[in-house]
Amino acid sequence: DLAIRAGKTPIVMQVFPGSPAAKAGLLPGDLLIAVNSAPTLGKSSPEVDRLLPDVPGTRVVLTITRTAKGTFQTPLTIAPLHM
């Protein structure tokens, strides 16, 4: 789950065990700086959603900032939605 604050960088609020975010090593509190080099700063929730493809198996590269680690990139593979 991401929290999108107007004019701010999206922040990871929750990571579900076994999720693509968990497999990518994301942690609550991480800042999502970019998706495939496209900046997220100031984007709305729908704009950030459009940066993430909805095709299962698609790989994206996230740029993350974490207080203890600094800024780094990590791959994330899109999973199918289960309803």
Side-chain angles (χ1 to χ4, degrees), residues 56-78:
T58 303
R59 185 173 177 243
V60 297
V61 176
L62 305 179
T63 303
I64 301 294
T65 295
R66 183 178 298 156
T67 302
K69 190 172 180 176
T71 300
F72 61 97
Q73 292 187 323
T74 188
L76 180 138
T77 301
I78 303 299

Side-chain angles (χ1 to χ4, degrees), residues 5-82:
R5 303 159 297 162
K8 304 282 184 176
T9 302
I11 185 168
V12 176
M13 298 301 294
Q14 185 174 13
V15 178
F16 297 99
S19 69
K23 292 175 184 173
L26 299 184
L27 297 174
D30 285 348
L31 298 176
L32 178 60
I33 304 301
V35 177
N36 287 337
S37 300
T40 60
L41 178 65
K43 294 204 181 305
S44 67
S45 184
E47 289 171 321
V48 172
D49 286 346
R50 283 193 291 276
L51 295 176
L52 297 165
D54 58 1
V55 178
T58 303
R59 185 173 177 243
V60 297
V61 176
L62 305 179
T63 303
I64 301 294
T65 295
R66 183 178 298 156
T67 302
K69 190 172 180 176
T71 300
F72 61 97
Q73 292 187 323
T74 188
L76 180 138
T77 301
I78 303 299
L81 289 177
H82 297 285

